[in-house]
Amino acid sequence: MRGIRSSSTRRIAALAVSGALVFSLAACANDPLADQYRQGDNKGFIAGDGAVQEIPEDQRGEPVEFAAATENGDPVSSADYAGDVLVVNFWYAACGPCRAEAKDLEAVYQEFAGENVDFLGVNTLDSPAAATAFAENYGITYPSAIAAETPAIKLAFAEKTPIQATPTTLVLDAQGRVAARIIGPIDPSILKTLVQDKLAETS
């Protein structure tokens, strides 16, 4: 994306090196698909390399507006997150890197408990039952919207930013605009920095 810059770029580059070890230790053990991913086998999915793209405030587009239902059948929409920083993670259960990053995402979510930060998964392929089983297995406590039930949620985000790899994680600012994108599995330290930067914009 042309012209993407941020004051936190240097910090994020440094964290990428130190966070690699943390990521490898935090990933789920005894998971064949996650292990397959860590060994460099990308069978069955298109994976990114964890590249981070940030968008300055004056270059962000319109807010993302969406409505869907979670794995529990509860309605969820962009209006529910108005005024908060929102982390949106695109995933599906048979995706090796999605499994490898699951506990890291939950850990970052817990770190921001009580702050104006929310997390939402977007499950791109699975049934509600499969998404629920994944959440229970990996200890995920934030909800996921089920794109198989409401395909329009994928389009709502794809109209604002490319979603070409799985997983992809977006950070939306308090106005609901895409402010950062991680293509591939997250580094928890980098994601935390991105969220902190977006929180600082509102202070």
Side-chain angles (χ1 to χ4, degrees), residues 148-172:
E149 303 276 319
T150 315
I153 190 170
K154 288 196 295 185
L155 180 60
F157 283 96
E159 286 179 338
K160 306 301 182 185
T161 190
I163 308 293
Q164 298 171 330
T166 305
T168 289
T169 299
L170 306 177
V171 180
L172 276 58

Side-chain angles (χ1 to χ4, degrees), residues 118-140:
D118 290 299
F119 276 53
L120 176 69
V122 175
N123 183 287
T124 59
L125 293 177
D126 301 318
S127 68
T132 298
F134 183 97
E136 292 174 351
N137 189 40
Y138 288 89
I140 304 301

Side-chain angles (χ1 to χ4, degrees), residues 12-65:
I12 288 173
L15 285 168
V17 176
S18 62
L21 177 60
V22 175
F23 170 78
S24 64
L25 293 174
C28 298
N30 302 320
D31 184 326
L33 287 178
D35 290 342
Q36 204 174 71
Y37 157 70
R38 288 191 288 270
Q39 292 164 12
D41 187 345
N42 287 353
K43 288 180 181 176
F45 55 85
I46 300 172
D49 58 3
V52 179
Q53 297 180 326
E54 294 188 82
I55 307 172
E57 287 188 74
D58 61 356
Q59 295 181 32
R60 296 170 196 167
E62 294 297 313
V64 182
E65 296 184 2

